[in-house]
Amino acid sequence: MTTPQTYKAAVIGCGKPERGGASKLAGGFRIGYTHGQMYKGVGATRLVAAVDINAENLAAYTRHFEVPQGFDDTHKMLESVRPDLVSICTYVGLHRQMIEACANAGVRGILCEKPFVSSPADLAAVKAVCEKTGCKLVICHQRRMNPTFERARELYNNGTVGQRAMCIAGIPDWDLSEWGSHWLDMFRFFHNDDPVEWVLGQFRVRDTRAFGHAMEDFGVAYFKFKDTGYGLVDAGHKPNAAKPYTMKLIGGEGVINIVGEGELVIDTPSGRTREKQPESNRFPGDQILMLNDLIRWIEGGPVARLGLPNTYGSSELNLAAYLSAVVGDRVDLPFSDELLKYHEWPVEELQRRFKAKST
């Protein structure tokens, strides 16, 4: 009888021990604690190490999850522990270097929080290192596993509302990356990951900074899928904004309205119907599904639903929207060789332009 393997896991970026109350612009939401709960919920994994540059946060995390080893440096952890699995829960600007360090150190599977990487150059480099080392990489767009969104995709593609036309969503109090990246990924999910042909983006950028990078105050991304359908996402810091629906999926013969993350309202020529979905598998349940998917992939199963081959296009789309504003034109996908050399978070350039005009 074969004994099931136990995977040693580590979390990079513990986050603050306090619960709730953090301003969105403060730039910290304890996502490392969600990953800690995830590992505790999967019997095939054992959380053996944590990394954080803040000694107080690190100590609180290792106590909370009874983690045997804590480190203030990722490279020291990789050399000492040699984990099989690593969660990267830090700011986006650190992701590429951490992914490369983990993959080159022999880590078998990585779960990386979003937004995924800062630039097209980073995106290409991360893809290359995973192909070279065989490391399996998952991007944490866990809403692909939410039954409400799964059902919405089914209805959007089975003719219930006719031919796919447009997905629309607004984000009341966030930007297009820290939160909006989820909706961009959802729109690709609803279109069965069909390629995006082109993207137009426009952003109002002033002095806002959070999560280690420049952020827009308002923004919009408009894009076309190669087969059928368009997407439109607007984002901005509008604290009092309220929208009746999370998003709308518009077809040639009707509309699917997603309410919160647990209900669908479907309007067709025959009338209106409602579907209340079961309680979604949210924190940490959706992460547990995500982790089990990654383990099956490592063990020779199919590519994880959130694996890089499936979610690479979501990061490409997110970056392309910002780059459209930088170049002042539509960005066609996949990225041209010239854009693949772009090595900076694009909003930094937009913020520099604003400051240059202001002086």
Side-chain angles (χ1 to χ4, degrees), residues 54-64:
N54 184 301
E56 182 180 353
N57 290 351
L58 178 63
Y61 191 88
T62 54
R63 285 195 305 270
H64 183 85

Side-chain angles (χ1 to χ4, degrees), residues 143-330:
R143 283 171 177 80
R144 287 184 177 231
M145 299 177 178
N146 180 306
T148 300
F149 295 117
E150 288 181 330
R151 176 60 173 160
R153 180 176 71 162
E154 177 186 356
L155 293 171
Y156 197 46
N157 284 276
N158 68 7
T160 295
V161 293
Q163 182 172 304
R164 299 179 312 200
M166 178 173 283
C167 299
I168 300 176
I171 306 164
D173 193 19
W174 282 93
D175 66 336
L176 199 69
S177 54
E178 298 294 335
W179 180 270
S181 58
H182 276 309
W183 285 176
L184 295 173
D185 180 70
M186 276 293 94
F187 287 4
R188 290 188 62 250
F189 178 67
F190 295 146
H191 284 82
N192 301 312
D193 292 332
D194 289 345
V196 174
E197 276 193 349
W198 53 258
V199 189
L200 276 171
Q202 183 61 51
F203 299 88
R204 176 185 173 90
V205 179
R206 294 297 183 260
D207 298 314
T208 302
R209 299 191 69 85
F211 301 97
H213 59 77
M215 293 175 70
E216 73 270 18
D217 294 327
F218 301 99
V220 62
Y222 176 57
F223 46 96
K224 180 186 181 298
F225 289 93
K226 185 175 182 179
D227 187 8
T228 60
Y230 293 79
L232 178 67
V233 180
D234 77 85
H237 303 301
K238 305 180 281 286
N240 297 318
K243 297 180 180 293
Y245 302 119
T246 300
M247 58 181 67
K248 290 177 176 286
L249 313 184
I250 302 172
E253 300 174 19
V255 179
I256 302 165
N257 300 289
I258 302 176
V259 184
E261 296 186 21
E263 184 179 2
L264 302 177
V265 179
I266 305 107
D267 291 314
T268 67
S270 60
R272 167 170 285 191
T273 59
R274 292 179 179 270
E275 294 188 10
K276 186 77 172 180
Q277 297 296 318
E279 189 69 25
S280 64
N281 294 314
R282 297 197 68 201
F283 309 116
D286 48 1
Q287 270 83 4
I288 288 174
L289 292 173
M290 175 175 67
L291 176 55
N292 282 324
D293 256 15
L294 173 58
I295 291 172
R296 282 191 291 270
W297 187 19
I298 289 171
E299 294 178 348
V303 174
R305 284 171 281 181
L306 303 179
L308 185 61
N310 295 330
T311 49
Y312 178 96
S314 301
S315 298
E316 188 179 49
L317 170 58
N318 199 165
L319 290 166
Y322 289 124
L323 284 169
S324 174
V326 171
V327 302
D329 198 357
R330 187 182 87 179

